[in-house]
Amino acid sequence: DIQMTQSPSSLSASVGDRVTITCQASQDIGSYLNWYQQKPGKAPKLLIYVASSLETGVPSRFSGSGSGTDFTFTISSLQPEDIATYYCQQYDVVPRTFGGGTKVEIK
Amino acid sequence: EVQLVESGGGLVKPGESLRLSCAASGFTFMSYSMTWVRQAPGKGLQWVASISSTGTYIEYGDSLKGRFTISRDNAKKSLYLQMNDLRAGDTAVYYCARDKGPYSNSLQHWGQGTLVTVSS
């Protein structure tokens, strides 16, 4: 199985800060990477697909980049409503594994 | 509006079986691949199984094939997950999700989830 390693596992930042989460795949997955946001008690929400494509309706402060084994997810200016856990997921190979998640909190 | 509504969760004993259902509406169900994802309490997401739009192609997560069976009924616009020989480690919220589009594998729409608790 492809292992997806996310870091950090949690972070605390101030409103307006730039937040960066990394996701590393244990083998080359091309650009077959999704990013999801999950708020407490809610289902996940697709934010980014194919590593860098923004899902319709998602604010432009969210972005993704990378290919191969190293990927980055960025919130350019953290907002209070962005408090959530973020997950990467590879879909190059079955099983389509998720990263362990990054919990984002407001400082 | 796309809606996915899971049902069938509950409390079962180890070794018992359970069948989850996911009722779809608001889109042409027969045109989309569907997926089950689960989340143990306080833990991360785990991909469980996917089924193609026609049901021809089925894929399972490791260690689940043989105990879990994904299926669909396009006429009823429903997705199913038959879970046998349940174990404590299967305790989780189970979500059904719809792909973004053909060959997408990005999970664009999710249900609210149904909780399965396996305990004696």
Side-chain angles (χ1 to χ4, degrees), chain B residues 47-101:
Chain B
W47 181 84
V48 172
S50 288
I51 186 168
S52 63
S53 58
T54 60
T56 303
Y57 299 103
I58 290 175
E59 299 161 324
Y60 292 98
D62 284 353
S63 78
L64 299 176
K65 190 175 182 179
R67 293 194 302 124
F68 287 18
T69 303
I70 189 173
S71 63
R72 64 190 295 160
D73 185 330
N74 285 345
K76 294 184 177 179
K77 299 181 183 180
S78 291
L79 175 72
Y80 305 103
L81 185 68
Q82 177 68 42
M83 304 185 294
N84 297 330
D85 188 25
L86 283 162
R87 307 164 183 172
D90 297 318
T91 294
V93 173
Y94 286 74
Y95 295 101
C96 72
R98 194 205 83 176
D99 280 6
K100 183 173 172 63

XYZ file of all heavy atoms in Angstrom, chain B residues 47-101:
432
model
N -10.332 4.542 3.407
C -11.055 4.134 2.198
C -11.427 2.664 2.313
O -10.574 1.825 2.625
C -10.158 4.378 0.990
C -10.749 4.038 -0.324
C -11.556 4.813 -1.102
C -10.553 2.826 -1.051
N -11.878 4.152 -2.264
C -11.267 2.928 -2.255
C -9.841 1.648 -0.796
C -11.298 1.916 -3.198
C -9.865 0.636 -1.743
C -10.590 0.779 -2.926
N -12.692 2.321 2.098
C -13.184 0.961 2.309
C -13.345 0.213 0.988
O -12.796 -0.871 0.803
C -14.524 0.981 3.069
C -15.143 -0.415 3.133
C -14.328 1.553 4.476
N -14.126 0.759 0.074
C -14.409 0.064 -1.179
C -15.033 1.016 -2.180
O -15.662 2.008 -1.795
C -15.360 -1.114 -0.940
N -14.851 0.707 -3.447
C -15.462 1.480 -4.520
C -16.086 0.548 -5.533
O -15.639 -0.592 -5.704
C -14.423 2.352 -5.231
O -14.016 3.428 -4.433
N -17.105 1.038 -6.225
C -17.788 0.275 -7.258
C -18.046 1.187 -8.440
O -18.437 2.352 -8.266
C -19.089 -0.343 -6.698
C -19.747 -1.264 -7.724
C -20.059 0.738 -6.220
C -20.866 -2.132 -7.136
N -17.819 0.689 -9.631
C -18.008 1.495 -10.833
C -19.492 1.737 -11.086
O -20.357 1.119 -10.452
C -17.369 0.802 -12.032
O -18.005 -0.446 -12.276
N -19.775 2.577 -12.048
C -21.160 2.988 -12.305
C -22.070 1.817 -12.665
O -23.233 1.784 -12.266
C -21.198 4.033 -13.431
O -20.604 3.507 -14.598
N -21.520 0.840 -13.379
C -22.326 -0.320 -13.776
C -22.198 -1.474 -12.797
O -22.893 -2.472 -12.937
C -21.908 -0.812 -15.163
O -20.523 -1.184 -15.105
C -22.105 0.272 -16.220
N -21.292 -1.347 -11.847
C -21.046 -2.435 -10.904
C -20.031 -3.444 -11.409
O -19.766 -4.445 -10.743
N -19.458 -3.177 -12.574
C -18.521 -4.123 -13.184
C -17.198 -4.177 -12.437
O -16.615 -5.253 -12.254
C -18.265 -3.730 -14.653
O -19.496 -3.686 -15.350
C -17.320 -4.722 -15.322
N -16.716 -3.002 -12.037
C -15.414 -2.948 -11.379
C -15.593 -2.634 -9.905
O -16.235 -1.653 -9.535
C -14.535 -1.896 -12.042
C -14.268 -2.192 -13.489
C -14.943 -1.499 -14.497
C -13.371 -3.192 -13.858
C -14.718 -1.783 -15.826
C -13.142 -3.489 -15.199
C -13.816 -2.784 -16.177
O -13.605 -3.075 -17.494
N -15.016 -3.482 -9.082
C -15.123 -3.350 -7.634
C -13.724 -3.437 -7.032
O -12.914 -4.282 -7.445
C -16.033 -4.444 -7.045
C -17.496 -4.179 -7.448
C -15.895 -4.537 -5.538
C -18.459 -5.271 -7.017
N -13.457 -2.564 -6.076
C -12.158 -2.545 -5.409
C -12.381 -2.434 -3.910
O -13.301 -1.743 -3.472
C -11.338 -1.350 -5.922
C -11.059 -1.395 -7.407
C -10.669 -0.039 -7.983
O -11.214 0.987 -7.528
O -9.822 -0.009 -8.885
N -11.484 -3.088 -3.158
C -11.600 -3.100 -1.703
C -10.299 -2.656 -1.053
O -9.210 -2.883 -1.592
C -11.931 -4.506 -1.196
C -13.303 -4.996 -1.574
C -13.482 -5.833 -2.666
C -14.418 -4.616 -0.836
C -14.744 -6.286 -3.024
C -15.690 -5.069 -1.176
C -15.841 -5.894 -2.271
O -17.095 -6.344 -2.623
N -10.437 -2.110 0.134
C -9.279 -1.822 0.953
C -8.690 -3.121 1.475
O -9.368 -4.149 1.573
N -7.403 -3.031 1.819
C -6.729 -4.207 2.352
C -7.427 -4.725 3.596
O -7.956 -3.960 4.391
C -5.281 -3.837 2.705
C -4.431 -3.734 1.466
O -4.917 -4.068 0.373
O -3.279 -3.295 1.603
N -7.427 -5.981 3.759
C -7.947 -6.694 4.930
C -9.473 -6.700 5.014
O -10.038 -7.315 5.913
C -7.369 -6.129 6.235
O -8.016 -4.931 6.589
N -10.132 -6.025 4.077
C -11.593 -5.993 4.136
C -12.229 -6.940 3.123
O -13.345 -7.429 3.341
C -12.094 -4.566 3.872
C -11.616 -3.529 4.881
C -12.082 -2.142 4.466
C -12.122 -3.859 6.274
N -11.530 -7.164 2.031
C -12.059 -8.083 1.029
C -12.212 -9.456 1.652
O -11.322 -9.946 2.323
C -11.106 -8.136 -0.167
C -11.677 -8.879 -1.352
C -10.740 -8.796 -2.542
C -11.331 -9.499 -3.748
N -10.435 -9.413 -4.929
N -13.368 -10.056 1.419
C -13.663 -11.343 2.026
C -14.671 -11.208 3.143
O -15.478 -12.109 3.366
N -14.645 -10.078 3.845
C -15.649 -9.831 4.886
C -16.676 -8.789 4.445
O -17.833 -8.848 4.833
C -14.988 -9.344 6.181
C -14.111 -10.360 6.871
C -13.778 -9.922 8.286
N -13.100 -8.624 8.335
C -13.528 -7.575 9.029
N -14.654 -7.640 9.717
N -12.839 -6.436 9.031
N -16.231 -7.828 3.636
C -17.113 -6.748 3.184
C -17.428 -6.951 1.700
O -16.557 -7.341 0.922
C -16.439 -5.392 3.374
C -16.358 -4.920 4.812
C -16.519 -5.795 5.881
C -16.105 -3.589 5.085
C -16.440 -5.345 7.191
C -16.028 -3.120 6.387
C -16.190 -4.007 7.433
N -18.653 -6.632 1.324
C -19.071 -6.694 -0.074
C -19.823 -5.429 -0.434
O -20.847 -5.112 0.185
C -19.959 -7.917 -0.343
O -19.264 -9.111 0.018
C -20.337 -7.989 -1.820
N -19.313 -4.713 -1.424
C -19.988 -3.519 -1.918
C -20.846 -3.915 -3.112
O -20.473 -4.775 -3.912
C -18.969 -2.420 -2.306
C -19.669 -1.096 -2.625
C -18.070 -2.882 -3.450
C -18.691 0.079 -2.842
N -22.007 -3.307 -3.212
C -22.894 -3.573 -4.343
C -23.778 -2.359 -4.566
O -23.791 -1.433 -3.761
C -23.744 -4.828 -4.098
O -24.596 -4.631 -2.977
N -24.492 -2.363 -5.678
C -25.385 -1.263 -5.986
C -26.583 -1.757 -6.762
O -26.519 -2.794 -7.442
C -24.645 -0.170 -6.761
C -24.147 -0.596 -8.131
C -23.222 0.479 -8.720
N -23.915 1.736 -8.980
C -23.299 2.909 -9.119
N -21.982 2.987 -9.017
N -23.994 4.005 -9.371
N -27.663 -1.013 -6.682
C -28.862 -1.281 -7.458
C -29.216 0.026 -8.155
O -29.755 0.945 -7.518
C -29.994 -1.751 -6.550
C -31.238 -2.170 -7.323
O -31.477 -1.616 -8.419
O -31.991 -3.014 -6.824
N -28.873 0.140 -9.416
C -29.081 1.400 -10.131
C -30.563 1.726 -10.299
O -30.946 2.901 -10.335
C -28.369 1.364 -11.478
C -26.858 1.537 -11.331
O -26.361 1.950 -10.284
N -26.125 1.185 -12.370
N -31.393 0.714 -10.379
C -32.829 0.961 -10.496
C -33.388 1.593 -9.218
O -34.289 2.438 -9.276
C -33.558 -0.337 -10.797
N -32.808 1.208 -8.096
C -33.261 1.763 -6.805
C -32.416 2.946 -6.363
O -32.649 3.508 -5.291
C -33.231 0.673 -5.734
C -34.228 -0.456 -5.977
C -34.210 -1.463 -4.829
C -35.260 -2.541 -5.055
N -35.250 -3.553 -3.949
N -31.410 3.309 -7.161
C -30.514 4.416 -6.832
C -29.914 4.235 -5.445
O -29.918 5.158 -4.609
C -31.246 5.752 -6.920
C -31.793 6.063 -8.310
C -32.490 7.402 -8.337
C -33.097 7.676 -9.699
N -33.783 8.987 -9.745
N -29.427 3.042 -5.211
C -28.919 2.708 -3.883
C -27.581 1.988 -3.940
O -27.315 1.205 -4.851
C -29.925 1.833 -3.134
O -31.090 2.567 -2.810
N -26.772 2.284 -2.940
C -25.467 1.665 -2.740
C -25.542 0.865 -1.441
O -26.221 1.271 -0.492
C -24.396 2.746 -2.620
C -22.965 2.309 -2.289
C -22.333 1.621 -3.499
C -22.137 3.526 -1.870
N -24.828 -0.259 -1.409
C -24.878 -1.109 -0.229
C -23.477 -1.515 0.215
O -22.530 -1.528 -0.579
C -25.684 -2.381 -0.527
C -27.068 -2.113 -1.058
C -27.345 -2.250 -2.416
C -28.090 -1.713 -0.211
C -28.617 -1.990 -2.916
C -29.365 -1.452 -0.698
C -29.620 -1.585 -2.045
O -30.878 -1.328 -2.538
N -23.368 -1.853 1.498
C -22.147 -2.456 2.020
C -22.558 -3.570 2.973
O -23.104 -3.308 4.042
C -21.276 -1.432 2.745
C -19.913 -1.970 3.205
C -19.028 -2.278 1.977
C -19.203 -0.963 4.115
N -22.337 -4.795 2.538
C -22.596 -5.954 3.388
C -21.344 -6.234 4.197
O -20.263 -6.422 3.630
C -22.957 -7.177 2.534
C -23.170 -8.465 3.333
C -24.405 -8.403 4.214
O -25.452 -7.919 3.794
N -24.287 -8.925 5.428
N -21.483 -6.232 5.508
C -20.336 -6.432 6.393
C -20.581 -7.681 7.229
O -21.562 -7.757 7.977
C -20.157 -5.202 7.299
C -20.004 -3.907 6.530
S -19.645 -2.501 7.588
C -21.178 -2.392 8.511
N -19.692 -8.652 7.088
C -19.809 -9.922 7.815
C -18.674 -10.065 8.820
O -17.643 -9.392 8.710
C -19.780 -11.092 6.837
C -20.949 -11.070 5.869
O -22.041 -10.577 6.188
N -20.723 -11.589 4.672
N -18.882 -10.959 9.785
C -17.853 -11.266 10.793
C -17.262 -9.977 11.377
O -16.042 -9.765 11.374
C -16.750 -12.129 10.159
C -15.755 -12.635 11.176
O -16.107 -12.749 12.367
O -14.604 -12.901 10.781
N -18.129 -9.117 11.838
C -17.692 -7.814 12.312
C -16.825 -7.928 13.556
O -17.009 -8.817 14.396
C -18.898 -6.906 12.563
C -19.500 -6.339 11.277
C -20.910 -5.834 11.502
C -18.606 -5.241 10.707
N -15.861 -7.025 13.640
C -14.894 -6.995 14.732
C -14.925 -5.629 15.398
O -15.399 -4.655 14.819
C -13.497 -7.279 14.181
C -13.423 -8.553 13.370
C -12.169 -8.623 12.530
N -12.140 -9.824 11.700
C -11.238 -10.084 10.756
N -10.263 -9.195 10.538
N -11.304 -11.189 10.056
N -14.352 -5.555 16.586
C -14.325 -4.277 17.299
C -13.649 -3.195 16.461
O -14.042 -2.026 16.492
C -13.606 -4.443 18.631
N -12.649 -3.580 15.704
C -11.925 -2.627 14.868
C -12.740 -2.071 13.712
O -12.287 -1.136 13.046
N -13.914 -2.631 13.465
C -14.790 -2.118 12.407
C -15.698 -1.000 12.919
O -16.457 -0.411 12.145
C -15.651 -3.239 11.830
C -14.821 -4.322 11.161
O -13.859 -3.967 10.442
O -15.124 -5.516 11.356
N -15.636 -0.735 14.220
C -16.425 0.348 14.791
C -16.010 1.676 14.168
O -14.843 2.059 14.215
C -16.239 0.409 16.316
O -16.784 -0.777 16.898
C -16.928 1.636 16.904
N -16.972 2.352 13.556
C -16.664 3.582 12.824
C -17.944 4.222 12.311
O -19.002 3.583 12.287
C -15.752 3.284 11.628
N -17.817 5.467 11.892
C -18.842 6.086 11.071
C -18.535 5.706 9.630
O -17.389 5.843 9.182
C -18.848 7.613 11.234
C -19.804 8.256 10.231
C -19.230 7.986 12.663
N -19.532 5.218 8.933
C -19.382 4.816 7.540
C -20.069 5.841 6.649
O -21.257 6.124 6.806
C -19.967 3.428 7.319
C -19.101 2.326 7.896
C -19.034 2.114 9.278
C -18.327 1.518 7.067
C -18.221 1.134 9.813
C -17.511 0.522 7.592
C -17.462 0.341 8.974
O -16.648 -0.636 9.505
N -19.282 6.404 5.733
C -19.790 7.388 4.785
C -19.889 6.774 3.393
O -18.975 6.047 2.970
C -18.842 8.574 4.675
C -18.663 9.421 5.913
C -17.549 9.270 6.728
C -19.589 10.411 6.249
C -17.357 10.058 7.847
C -19.405 11.217 7.373
C -18.294 11.026 8.162
O -18.110 11.814 9.270
N -20.948 7.093 2.673
C -20.936 6.819 1.235
C -20.604 8.131 0.535
O -20.906 9.226 1.039
C -22.254 6.229 0.745
S -23.653 7.357 0.684
N -19.956 8.013 -0.597
C -19.516 9.198 -1.320
C -19.596 8.958 -2.815
O -19.411 7.824 -3.286
C -18.084 9.558 -0.916
N -19.841 10.033 -3.549
C -19.939 9.974 -5.007
C -18.718 10.603 -5.650
O -18.255 11.671 -5.203
C -21.185 10.715 -5.468
C -21.590 10.448 -6.910
C -22.389 11.598 -7.490
N -21.500 12.653 -7.971
C -21.916 13.750 -8.594
N -23.219 13.929 -8.797
N -21.069 14.656 -9.008
N -18.218 9.971 -6.685
C -17.103 10.540 -7.423
C -17.497 11.838 -8.109
O -18.665 12.066 -8.417
C -16.608 9.553 -8.476
C -15.715 8.484 -7.883
O -15.569 8.441 -6.661
O -15.165 7.685 -8.664
N -16.478 12.636 -8.399
C -16.697 13.911 -9.067
C -17.185 13.700 -10.503
O -17.982 14.479 -11.024
C -15.393 14.714 -9.057
C -15.465 16.098 -9.664
C -14.169 16.830 -9.435
C -14.141 18.138 -10.210
N -15.186 19.070 -9.757
N -16.704 12.648 -11.127
C -17.094 12.394 -12.510
C -16.436 11.136 -13.007
O -15.734 10.458 -12.253
